[in-house]
Amino acid sequence: MTTRTVDTTQELAAFLRTRRERLDPEDFDLPARRQARRTPGLRREEVAELAGVSIDYIVRLEQARGLRPSAEVVEGLARALRLGRDERAYLFDLAQLRPRNADKPATTAAPPLGRLVADLSPLPAMVMNHRYDILAWNGGMARLLMDFDTLPPSQRNAIWLCLMYPKMRDFYVDRERVVREAIAHLRAAWAAHPEDQVLTDLIAEFINGDEEFARLWAGRDVKVNGRGRKVMRHPDVGSIAVHFETLTPLQDPDQLLVIYRAADDESQSALDRLSGR
């Protein structure tokens, strides 16, 4: 991958192709055609019919020939390809049809969010930006994950730590799922911030330095995962299962507040031991 920022025309073409190829023709009420299918998924003419556009238009979009589809066309494509909510938002971002945030990405936590993170103790909590840079954290999060103060700021990135930091390689029990979900979220952020050179460089570093990331990134999965469950292998207290919740402040929409809670009694006991209670 080059270090250019997002080429939305090329990415739109690739995304449309991958989503078309993932569809099962048997799930659609389409007229029977005599010729055998040489490739998986729907044909271009079938997508064109479902979306209400010409075949030539679909061909030109998939060949990245400089078209800028309207909101109506994007809506038709999203419906024809049966995109989920996050995939639909991603498609609108690639078509540059959603308003952009003119502010530069946050590199420090907004002071009220920093104070809130401290007040949430002993619940582990932290603030991240759309790049997964960790901007603020409390003692509970430091005890659960690691003391981020021991790292240079360039390494305080949740995905970088999971992929590149040796002590974190086996930290998550279901590592591939955690990485897959993070990459799907990161792809959505990449399309929403196409001029963010730092983010593009970070993704290039991951692609070139980690085969797992490169493989999952090529799948073009898109999902904004705001809540879920993770199971961790903590070196001091053993297995800890947590539920996480990700909140977006109205005043600072580029910053994400992440809060962990114990998923069961055993995990709560483990967190209590970490906090010295």
Side-chain angles (χ1 to χ4, degrees), residues 132 176-186 223 225 244:
Y132 277 79
E176 179 164 340
R177 179 184 61 81
V178 171
V179 173
R180 183 185 297 275
E181 290 179 353
I183 291 172
H185 194 143
L186 191 65
K223 184 173 177 60
N225 198 29
F244 67 89

Side-chain angles (χ1 to χ4, degrees), residues 28-210:
F28 294 80
D29 185 19
L30 296 168
R33 290 179 168 87
R34 293 182 180 179
Q35 65 268 37
R37 293 181 181 271
R38 294 175 294 177
T39 57
L42 295 185
R43 297 186 176 96
R44 286 169 171 167
E45 57 265 31
E46 292 168 335
V47 172
E49 181 179 341
L50 291 168
V53 298
S54 69
I55 299 174
D56 178 66
Y57 196 90
I58 296 294
V59 170
R60 293 168 66 192
L61 279 176
E62 289 195 2
Q63 291 179 350
R65 287 158 58 183
L67 293 181
R68 176 87 49 99
S70 66
E72 292 76 16
V73 169
V74 172
E75 189 64 57
L77 290 169
R79 184 175 60 253
L81 297 171
R82 297 188 176 180
L83 300 184
R85 181 187 63 183
D86 298 329
E87 293 173 319
R88 179 180 176 277
Y90 184 68
L91 188 62
F92 270 83
D93 279 332
L94 293 177
Q96 302 178 50
L97 290 171
R98 287 210 298 179
R100 304 292 183 195
N101 185 354
D103 297 333
K104 292 183 178 180
T107 55
T108 58
L113 290 180
R115 291 192 293 270
L116 176 58
V117 164
D119 290 343
L120 285 169
S121 291
L123 287 177
M126 61 183 172
V127 175
M128 299 190 298
N129 61 15
H130 68 264
R131 301 171 185 153
Y132 277 79
D133 293 332
I134 300 167
L135 308 181
W137 60 92
N138 61 13
M141 188 63 78
R143 289 186 290 270
L144 177 62
L145 297 184
M146 63 177 302
D147 184 359
F148 300 113
D149 273 326
T150 62
L151 297 173
S154 62
Q155 294 181 4
R156 293 175 193 165
N157 179 278
I159 299 182
W160 188 94
L161 290 170
C162 189
L163 295 175
M164 306 294 188
Y165 195 64
K167 294 181 180 180
M168 295 286 289
R169 290 289 302 183
D170 299 319
F171 186 71
Y172 294 104
V173 173
D174 190 359
R175 171 186 167 79
E176 179 164 340
R177 179 184 61 81
V178 171
V179 173
R180 183 185 297 275
E181 290 179 353
I183 291 172
H185 194 143
L186 191 65
R187 181 172 280 280
W190 182 64
H193 301 81
E195 304 305 322
D196 187 349
Q197 184 67 57
V198 174
L199 176 59
T200 299
D201 291 345
L202 186 65
I203 293 169
E205 178 185 353
F206 294 155
I207 291 174
N208 295 325
D210 189 271

Side-chain angles (χ1 to χ4, degrees), residues 221-240:
D221 288 335
V222 181
K223 184 173 177 60
V224 178
N225 198 29
R227 63 168 58 100
R229 186 176 188 271
K230 295 179 180 178
V231 183
M232 308 167 183
R233 299 184 183 95
H234 196 279
D236 296 327
V237 296
S239 178
I240 300 179

